[in-house]
């Protein structure tokens, strides 16, 4: 029976998640040739091909099967290491996250955290960032992840701030028509993405209309899939099945959104500090 080294699986999943060998190498602290060598070792060990390289970097059918197993194996490995290497912590953490992160990579990170620290009770709420930030100031949260425009100045540690690309999101069948206002599927007023979309379209002189508004990412996703219009999200939060575009026909590029953590570094529990470490690492890898 063959044993698959977890470092090879981690390299493989990181390449898939970040979309390239160079980005994976930067994230894992390895050179691009070293990353390529690890993929070759994995393929030789299992006698399969995990990437189709003739048309970009596509995961093969065998690679997709391996990817599912790899994620589960790494989840178990990381949970075991965290659980055994660090002292057990307990308590409650009140976490606030933006609506568009509710079905992206955060649930997996929170699941890993819960497995590693079963005595920590998580109270998670999703809302518009403007609401989360206001409620944090009122003491309703221990830790908040929020979006902000690049022009906004929030009182956060520079290490708590990331920039992530905003992309157009469609169902893959959207037809651009310059004769009609572009239909938008957006969050309610106060959403950073909504502000960014409208600002960019206005600057480009492109007519638009609000076709659908929802405070839930699931509602946004359903409306896009149904063909009601297009939207924009941070690249890492685009749900599976939808298509992301840096630029769509004659539409402008949407630039970046600022992601910030709000927490009281000098007065927080061990549980909050540990959860912050989990989310920070995950977000750092995703935004790189």
């Amino acid at each position: 029976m063959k044993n698959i080294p977890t470092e090879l699986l981690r390299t493989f999943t990181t390449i898939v998640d970040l979309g390239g060998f160079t980005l994976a190498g930067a994230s894992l602290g390895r050179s691009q040739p070293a990353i390529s060598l690890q993929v070759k070792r994995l393929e030789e060990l299992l006698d399969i091909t995990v990437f189709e390289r003739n048309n970009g970097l596509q995961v093969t059918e065998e690679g997709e099967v391996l990817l599912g197993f790899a994620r589960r194996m790494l989840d178990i490995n990381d949970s075991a290491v965290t659980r055994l290497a660090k002292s057990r912590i307990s308590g409650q953490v009140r976490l606030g996250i933006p609506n568009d992160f509710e079905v992206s990579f955060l649930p997996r990170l929170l699941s890993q955290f819960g497995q590693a620290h079963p005595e920590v009770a998580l109270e998670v709420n999703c809302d518009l960032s403007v609401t989360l930030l206001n409620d944090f100031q009122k003491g309703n949260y221990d830790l908040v992840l929020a979006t902000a425009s690049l022009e906004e100045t929030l009182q956060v540690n520079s290490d708590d701030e990331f920039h992530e690309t905003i992309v157009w999101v469609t169902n893959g069948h959207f037809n651009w028509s310059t004769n009609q206002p572009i239909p938008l599927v957006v969050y309610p007023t106060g959403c950073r993405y909504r502000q960014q979309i409208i600002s960019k379209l206005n600057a480009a002189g492109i007519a638009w209309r609000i076709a659908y508004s929802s405070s839930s990412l699931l509602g946004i996703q359903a409306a896009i899939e149904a063909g009601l219009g297009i939207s924009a999200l941070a690249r890492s939060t685009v749900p599976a099945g939808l298509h992301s575009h840096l630029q769509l026909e004659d539409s402008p590029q949407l630039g970046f959104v600022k992601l910030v953590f709000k927490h009281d570094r000098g007065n927080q529990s061990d549980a909050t500090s540990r959860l912050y470490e989990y989310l920070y690492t995950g977000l750092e890898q995703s935004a790189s």
Side-chain angles (χ1 to χ4, degrees):
M1 182 64 68
K2 299 177 180 178
N3 293 313
I4 309 175
T6 55
E7 63 266 23
L8 301 185
L9 296 178
R10 196 176 304 279
T11 295
F12 172 51
T13 59
T14 303
I15 293 171
V16 174
D17 290 340
L18 299 184
F21 282 52
T22 302
L23 290 175
S27 175
L28 297 172
R30 294 179 178 272
S31 65
Q32 192 273 337
I35 293 294
S36 298
L37 182 60
Q38 286 191 316
V39 171
K40 182 179 179 181
R41 286 177 55 200
L42 182 63
E43 291 179 326
E44 291 177 347
L45 178 64
L46 299 175
D47 193 23
I48 62 173
T49 300
V50 296
F51 291 116
E52 176 59 56
R53 299 173 177 84
N54 293 332
N55 184 24
L57 190 66
Q58 301 293 326
V59 182
T60 64
E61 184 175 347
E62 291 174 319
E64 290 287 358
V65 174
L66 176 62
L67 185 62
F69 285 112
R71 293 197 190 283
R72 281 182 279 170
M73 293 168 68
L74 290 173
D75 283 347
I76 294 174
N77 176 86
D78 295 347
S79 294
V81 170
T82 302
R83 180 73 175 272
L84 297 174
K86 297 182 178 181
S87 61
R88 297 178 67 177
I89 58 176
S90 61
Q92 181 184 34
V93 181
R94 300 167 300 167
L95 171 67
I97 60 176
N99 292 332
D100 47 309
F101 282 78
E102 62 182 313
V103 294
S104 58
F105 69 92
L106 277 183
R108 183 165 61 88
L109 289 176
L110 295 178
S111 175
Q112 293 176 1
F113 180 86
Q115 294 174 26
H117 304 290
E119 295 184 9
V120 175
L122 291 180
E123 180 182 324
V124 185
N125 186 53
C126 303
D127 211 327
L128 293 177
S129 290
V130 63
T131 302
L132 294 175
L133 292 172
N134 287 336
D135 287 345
F136 176 81
Q137 295 298 328
K138 297 175 183 177
N140 295 335
Y141 291 108
D142 302 303
L143 177 65
V144 160
L145 173 64
T147 60
S149 68
L150 299 185
E151 292 75 21
E152 287 180 276
T153 301
L154 299 178
Q155 294 182 350
V156 297
N157 187 295
S158 59
D159 293 336
D160 292 337
E161 181 179 304
F162 300 86
H163 292 175
E164 186 164 3
T165 303
I166 304 177
V167 293
W168 291 102
V169 183
T170 74
N171 62 2
H173 308 291
F174 177 76
N175 293 318
W176 177 273
S177 175
T178 57
N179 299 324
Q180 299 291 330
I182 186 169
L184 301 178
V185 176
V186 291
Y187 288 108
T189 301
C191 171
R192 315 295 179 185
Y193 305 124
R194 176 176 176 142
Q195 296 171 0
Q196 191 86 338
I197 295 171
I198 293 175
S199 174
K200 292 289 186 178
L201 290 178
N202 286 342
I206 298 174
W208 54 270
R209 65 181 177 86
I210 303 298
Y212 187 89
S213 179
S214 173
S215 60
S216 165
L217 177 59
L218 296 177
I220 297 290
Q221 179 178 356
I224 297 173
E225 290 175 342
L228 294 181
I230 66 175
S231 190
L233 294 169
R235 182 161 49 188
S236 68
T237 68
V238 177
L242 296 182
H243 296 251
S244 61
H245 316 263
L246 281 177
Q247 193 166 10
L248 189 64
E249 299 292 340
D250 294 328
S251 67
Q253 293 190 19
L254 296 173
F256 301 87
V257 66
K258 183 161 58 177
L259 305 176
V260 297
F261 281 106
K262 290 287 287 184
H263 58 130
D264 186 352
R265 285 178 174 269
N267 184 30
Q268 62 186 17
S269 66
D270 290 340
T272 300
S273 297
R274 190 63 50 79
L275 178 60
Y276 165 75
E277 292 172 5
Y278 261 74
L279 299 185
Y280 180 95
T281 301
L283 188 59
E284 184 179 43
Q285 293 176 351
S286 174
S288 62

